[in-house]
Amino acid sequence: GRLVMMEDLEPEEAERLRRGAYVVSELYLAMQNSWTVRYLGEQAFNYEMAHCFEVKVSDRNSIRFFIDPLTYMDTGREEWLFDEEGTLTITRVIGSEHMDISGLKVPGKVEIYENNVYQQTFVAVDTEVNPGIFADAFERPNQPVEAPAKQEWIEVEPGL
């Protein structure tokens, strides 16, 4: 493949890539928006076992996240989306070759499949997250922030 700059992509393709970004995922958004999150146990993903969490975004859209049980790194996701006619499309994003980018561990290689058909691969060559932003620009609290007494944002279904 050839290297492609974000500026060279069509607006629809650039938006699709932004939606799949690993920095802010539906797991984070689920906590903000009170979406349902379920732990589905360990499941096979890309020929390896992984912890599987499912975020129910809407009646027609859910996203499953796969977390490596040894490293706790994000190994990928599957978006299950039903269109208006009820046709299911499953988009699988596989992350591998994790690398340290500006202090974050992120996949250096991302492969995308739609309904088990290969679509494209992205490989990070030279990447920075928030270049030019300095750590001292942010105030960190002196005291640890106390968590609420009880959080009920996860459902666990035994046997799944």
Side-chain angles (χ1 to χ4, degrees):
R2 61 182 178 80
L3 294 179
V4 178
M5 302 298 288
M6 285 293 287
E7 299 83 29
D8 296 334
L9 297 174
E10 294 294 324
E12 300 83 26
E13 184 64 17
E15 180 59 28
R16 181 175 162 177
L17 289 174
R18 282 188 198 95
R19 285 188 64 226
Y22 279 81
V23 177
V24 177
S25 72
E26 282 79 2
L27 282 172
Y28 174 77
L29 295 174
M31 291 184 275
Q32 288 188 319
N33 297 315
S34 300
W35 294 339
T36 302
V37 177
R38 295 187 309 157
Y39 176 65
L40 301 179
E42 284 196 23
Q43 296 186 5
F45 182 79
N46 199 32
Y47 308 105
E48 301 284 337
M49 294 305 289
H51 293 292
C52 180
F53 293 88
E54 180 181 62
V55 175
K56 182 123 175 133
V57 178
S58 70
D59 289 338
R60 296 179 175 268
N61 187 336
S62 64
I63 299 171
R64 293 182 177 179
F65 292 88
F66 297 89
I67 309 297
D68 184 296
L70 299 176
T71 64
Y72 297 104
M73 285 198 268
D74 182 0
T75 59
R77 61 190 267 170
E78 289 178 343
E79 181 171 8
W80 296 47
L81 181 63
F82 289 92
D83 65 17
E84 294 297 322
E85 291 79 36
T87 303
L88 172 64
T89 299
I90 300 174
T91 302
R92 177 177 271 218
V93 178
I94 301 170
S96 61
E97 299 178 19
H98 287 75
M99 56 195 295
D100 186 278
I101 299 177
S102 301
L104 298 172
K105 284 283 190 193
V106 296
K109 179 179 179 182
V110 176
E111 298 171 84
I112 300 174
Y113 296 81
E114 192 167 290
N115 294 329
N116 290 323
V117 177
Y118 172 80
Q119 299 295 313
Q120 56 193 335
T121 298
F122 296 94
V123 177
V125 177
D126 183 21
T127 306
E128 288 184 56
V129 176
N130 296 329
I133 296 180
F134 301 101
D136 60 351
F138 299 95
E139 290 184 35
R140 295 182 185 261
N142 293 331
Q143 301 285 332
V145 178
E146 290 186 29
K150 185 177 181 183
Q151 292 183 350
E152 294 188 28
W153 60 275
I154 190 166
E155 297 174 20
V156 177
E157 293 183 20
L160 290 180

